[in-house]
Amino acid sequence: MIARKLACCLLGFGLPLMAVAEGGALTFYTEQFPPYNMTANDKEFAHKSDDVGGLCTDIVKAVMNKVALPYRIKLRNWSLGMERVKKNPDTGIFCAVQTPERLPQFSWVGPLTSMNWALFARPDANISVSSLEEAKQYTIGGYKGDAMTGYLEKKGMTMSVVPDDISNPKRLQQGIVDLWITDTLAGPLKASQNSGLKSLRKVFDVDSTPVYLALNPQTPADTVKALQAALDELKADGSVARLEKQYVPSP
């Protein structure tokens, strides 16, 4: 376990600021999910913090810089990162959705930002959906460990689940799935990078979901409080809003 000490200074919200970690570093996992998390060199995985960017990543880095704790970020498959964080102290994963199943399994910092999830079809597909009940007649592409995929499975949707989300745009293009559950920012970008689809057609808004940094439950309470206080201060001074604006496409 990382040995930690509190700094004498306080954050604006009255919580202790964690100054340094005496040996070791926190390890954070995330997935390839642009523009929220992505490798700087377009490779599938990344082993160094400098090789990972995106909106959630930028927010987490800003938080860690404020508390001055050493850390590293690794980009892996979501399901692999989840399993490692559940088993190993001094680890975390972002951007994670708080589901009822996940809530007791982690300590939470956030919300970092929000994702807007929707069902997308090919631009030429003759599909119209006005409710999830209507969408049950279609095969929907999702991926293992994803919160929205699990949500739709519990709703009784017909899901086709793969290990990671990268292949879903191509599966949609090829007609293997009729619809794809994804984020309204991430989906079109991922489709343009991983398939021949130049555009997607949104057919149904599913939900708007806040996302968090989920930490191994053995993370000391003082560390969790310090990270949350740092995030709250970054929101209060407008830093998070400025980061979010960088990733919203111009109209």
Side-chain angles (χ1 to χ4, degrees):
M1 182 68 66
I2 296 175
R4 299 176 175 89
K5 66 181 180 182
L6 294 176
C8 296
C9 57
L10 299 176
L11 283 175
F13 292 89
L15 292 173
L17 176 66
M18 199 74 68
V20 295
E22 297 175 335
L26 291 167
T27 299
F28 298 136
Y29 293 92
T30 191
E31 64 174 335
Q32 187 81 329
F33 197 77
Y36 297 94
N37 319 294
M38 51 193 173
T39 53
N41 53 14
D42 293 328
K43 291 186 177 180
E44 190 173 353
F45 302 114
H47 308 279
K48 299 178 181 178
S49 302
D50 289 345
D51 293 334
V52 187
L55 173 55
C56 280
T57 306
D58 288 351
I59 295 172
V60 169
K61 286 181 177 181
V63 168
M64 297 308 294
N65 289 339
K66 182 170 280 290
V67 297
L69 279 170
Y71 69 97
R72 52 182 169 255
I73 297 174
K74 296 177 180 290
L75 194 144
R76 298 287 189 273
N77 286 338
W78 184 257
S79 55
L80 182 148
M82 267 287 189
E83 288 306 310
R84 290 191 176 177
V85 174
K86 288 177 183 178
K87 295 176 181 178
N88 298 302
D90 301 319
T91 58
I93 189 167
F94 64 89
C95 297
V97 175
Q98 276 187 346
T99 65
E101 295 80 11
R102 289 177 182 174
L103 193 57
Q105 296 176 340
F106 304 96
S107 295
W108 298 86
V109 174
L112 302 173
T113 188
S114 292
M115 292 184 180
N116 299 305
W117 298 84
L119 294 173
F120 286 90
R122 297 187 310 275
D124 60 341
N126 185 24
I127 295 177
S128 178
V129 171
S130 60
S131 68
L132 286 181
E133 189 64 31
E134 285 188 8
K136 285 184 177 180
Q137 63 186 297
Y138 300 107
T139 299
I140 302 171
Y143 67 105
K144 184 180 178 182
D146 173 54
M148 286 308 302
T149 298
Y151 173 80
L152 293 183
E153 286 177 326
K154 289 184 177 179
K155 291 288 185 180
M157 315 304 290
T158 303
M159 302 298 298
S160 176
V161 180
V162 289
D164 59 66
D165 207 30
I166 281 182
S167 61
N168 274 319
K170 189 168 289 186
R171 296 168 76 224
L172 184 68
Q173 180 186 10
Q174 295 172 344
I176 298 172
V177 295
D178 304 305
L179 298 171
W180 175 29
I181 179 69
T182 188
D183 172 77
T184 54
L185 283 182
L189 181 59
K190 189 173 291 188
S192 67
Q193 293 175 341
N194 297 285
S195 74
L197 294 172
K198 301 300 182 184
S199 64
L200 296 172
R201 187 166 65 84
K202 185 172 71 171
V203 299
F204 186 71
D205 286 303
V206 176
D207 202 0
S208 180
T209 313
V211 290
Y212 297 77
L213 169 61
L215 298 161
N216 180 277
Q218 295 184 42
T219 304
D222 283 343
T223 300
V224 179
K225 288 180 181 179
L227 296 177
Q228 184 65 58
L231 175 62
D232 291 343
E233 189 171 85
L234 289 167
K235 288 183 176 182
D237 69 15
S239 297
V240 170
R242 287 191 290 273
L243 287 172
E244 289 174 329
K245 286 185 76 172
Q246 294 178 19
Y247 289 93
V248 176
S250 301

